[in-house]
Amino acid sequence: MTVTDAFACAIAGLLLVQAALRAKSAWSGRRRERSLWGAFAALAVSWLCRTSTVNDLLDATGIYDLGFLVKHATAIVGICVLLRYVTAVYADAGHTVDLRRGARLSAVVHRIATRASFGTIAVMTAAFLFLLDPPDTSTLFFLERHEGDPGLPIYMGLFYLYMGAAAAVCAVQWGGAARVTPVRSIRIGMALMSCAMVLAVVYVLLRIAFVVTITVTTVSDGTSQAQETLTDSLLYLFSLLWGIGAIAPASRAGSERYRAARNLLSLHPLWRQLAMAAPDVVRHRPSRLFARLRFVGQSLDTFRDVFASPDASLPMRVNRYTVDIRDAIFELRRRAPADLAEKARDHAQSVPDGFHDTEIRAEALWLRTALLCGSPALHGDSAAPAPYPFGPGTDPRHEVPHLRAVAAAYSGIRDSESHTLLATTSANHARSQDARSH
């Protein structure tokens, strides 16, 4: 594998990873998600066509340099879809004057580019088949292979005109978006992609100048080699910048999904216990599909609850878990003794575990003990739920970390502690009932 092939495979791999990560959102998402996925996929194919392996496979069809035609055609498709993505982003943005102007410009450019792309590919294909002479296979570079051919300025001129115009529009649009985007990761990504498109415009201008030069005169091999080295370096650089810039916004979403998955795994044991105790108040009951499998059944059910439930995303699943926990706690308050919170606090203060805050441990004790109460009989004739003076409220920024701490404390409480606490509250309740009866 040559150095050129290695660079092409690396960039194609980067684009394919992006396409794979966005496949699910493209399948069920809006036009912008599908457009970005299509741009990554088409441009990845274009880069793969730069490798000698793919070129040799396409040359085996009997049409020499077919790999270059496929590379240029898929690049045009990728650019067209990328402009469609830019249009969709601005259409979904706010309603300020600048954004409306940007949206109109993007929409106009995309309409022109869409109509022009089919005509551009058709004319380029015709020039490739009928105006280009058989290539000089002693060199690897397309321009040198067809130097002096009358169809070369038409073929490459159309491609570079299309690419340069699209790159200029993207540079302006992403540069403007980078200035007003409040999210740091998205701002960095937009700035990198804008810089990449500026380099793309420079690349196009240099290539156009070289095509015009070799059309009207003959250049030395040294000049041709220097031009190829310079422009290829620009091509690799702007492609890498664009690929990395596209990853930057996705890194924020990836970080959010990672935090959500970590929160779900921490909350799942507590959520499962509460949901099984109050199955009618949760939106989706815990999985028991693999309950009969020894050793791995619990892990598989946990995986199904955390990663395969019908929620649209992991952060939404975290919200569901917290709501389910709150609803289940309210159900437990109808069963728990009225003095359970007071007794739990007293026990947590007298028997600390050394790892958790007293209030957190008291809340975990309340939950584990309340789960032992099978019915609301301990309340007597009172219909009021038992007090639950715990928790930080319903603000997700504080509630999720709080519930994670409670879940960790809950898992460390022994069954004997909760049975003892329940026996104490039951005895107190019986004595109070006797006192009232006398």
Side-chain angles (χ1 to χ4, degrees):
M1 178 182 289
T2 65
V3 176
T4 301
D5 287 349
F7 273 113
C9 288
I11 295 173
L14 181 65
L15 297 173
L16 286 174
V17 168
Q18 289 274 30
L21 292 175
R22 288 173 166 81
K24 182 179 179 181
S25 61
W27 178 262
S28 58
R30 297 173 296 174
R31 184 179 67 171
R32 57 188 290 180
E33 284 81 9
R34 294 193 297 270
S35 299
L36 188 57
W37 178 88
F40 282 124
L43 293 174
V45 172
S46 178
W47 272 100
L48 287 174
C49 289
R50 291 180 62 88
T51 62
S52 56
T53 301
V54 175
N55 270 309
D56 291 342
L57 289 174
L58 293 175
D59 284 345
T61 62
I63 304 175
Y64 289 104
D65 284 353
L66 180 60
F68 290 97
L69 177 62
V70 175
K71 177 184 71 174
H72 294 143
T74 51
I76 288 175
V77 172
I79 292 169
C80 181
V81 179
L82 186 61
L83 286 172
R84 185 171 182 258
Y85 167 74
V86 174
T87 302
V89 169
Y90 274 83
D92 293 341
H95 302 285
T96 64
V97 174
D98 291 339
L99 287 177
R100 286 202 304 269
R101 187 183 302 115
R104 287 197 300 269
L105 177 60
S106 296
V108 170
V109 172
H110 174 249
R111 283 197 300 270
I112 296 173
T114 302
R115 295 166 184 169
S117 61
F118 298 105
T120 301
I121 294 174
V123 175
M124 286 177 62
T125 303
F128 178 86
L129 295 174
F130 301 111
L131 298 180
L132 295 182
D133 295 332
D136 176 10
T137 56
S138 63
T139 179
L140 297 175
F141 306 117
F142 185 78
L143 295 184
E144 292 184 15
R145 284 176 174 235
H146 296 280
E147 185 176 350
D149 287 0
L152 183 64
I154 299 174
Y155 180 90
M156 296 307 301
L158 287 171
F159 175 71
Y160 290 138
L161 179 63
Y162 192 96
M163 179 181 174
V169 171
C170 290
V172 172
Q173 301 290 63
W174 286 332
R179 290 194 299 271
V180 299
T181 300
V183 181
R184 184 170 178 243
S185 61
I186 298 179
R187 185 167 62 249
I188 293 174
M190 290 289 185
L192 287 174
M193 290 192 290
S194 180
C195 291
M197 292 300 103
V198 172
L199 292 178
V201 173
V202 175
Y203 166 84
V204 166
L205 293 175
L206 290 175
R207 296 288 278 187
I208 289 176
F210 186 72
V211 169
V212 172
T213 301
I214 63 174
T215 300
V216 299
T217 186
T218 302
V219 299
S220 65
D221 292 341
T223 301
S224 179
Q225 184 66 41
Q227 179 275 147
E228 290 291 347
T229 302
L230 175 61
T231 54
D232 275 1
S233 299
L234 282 173
L235 179 63
Y236 297 138
L237 182 57
F238 86 70
S239 298
L240 283 173
L241 278 178
W242 184 75
I244 295 171
I247 289 175
S251 65
R252 180 171 178 265
S255 176
E256 289 178 352
R257 284 193 288 269
Y258 169 75
R259 287 195 300 270
R262 188 180 60 179
N263 290 333
L264 287 168
L265 290 171
S266 298
L267 293 176
H268 182 267
L270 177 61
W271 171 83
R272 182 179 179 83
Q273 291 292 324
L274 295 175
M276 291 177 67
D280 294 332
V281 303
V282 298
R283 279 176 284 178
H284 302 291
R285 296 186 180 186
S287 172
R288 297 185 59 83
L289 183 63
F290 305 101
R292 295 185 179 182
L293 297 179
R294 297 182 62 186
F295 306 116
V296 298
Q298 184 176 353
S299 298
L300 292 175
D301 280 329
T302 298
F303 182 88
R304 189 164 181 253
D305 286 335
V306 172
F307 297 105
S309 4
D311 303 282
S313 65
L314 291 178
M316 292 183 66
R317 200 161 301 152
V318 173
N319 292 336
R320 174 168 68 82
Y321 271 32
T322 57
V323 172
D324 286 347
I325 289 173
R326 285 200 304 267
D327 292 343
I329 288 173
F330 184 81
E331 181 67 19
L332 290 180
R333 291 176 61 194
R334 299 177 58 244
R335 310 178 187 181
D339 60 343
L340 181 57
E342 179 183 352
K343 295 299 181 183
R345 278 175 169 161
D346 291 341
H347 184 83
Q349 289 173 354
S350 61
V351 190
D353 64 357
F355 298 101
H356 303 97
D357 181 80
T358 301
E359 195 73 3
I360 293 293
R361 180 166 161 75
E363 185 173 0
L365 277 166
W366 190 100
L367 292 172
R368 186 173 279 275
T369 306
L371 286 171
L372 300 175
C373 303
S375 70
L378 290 174
H379 279 293
D381 298 328
S382 174
Y388 187 78
F390 308 107
T394 58
D395 185 353
R397 292 175 301 175
H398 305 295
E399 185 178 28
V400 173
H402 176 83
L403 289 178
R404 286 187 59 182
V406 172
Y410 178 92
S411 63
I413 295 174
R414 298 186 300 273
D415 289 338
S416 57
E417 287 186 272
S418 54
H419 282 288
T420 301
L421 189 59
L422 179 61
T424 303
T425 55
S426 299
N428 291 340
H429 177 74
R431 285 195 296 269
S432 64
Q433 289 289 90
D434 291 339
R436 281 200 296 269
S437 64
H438 292 298

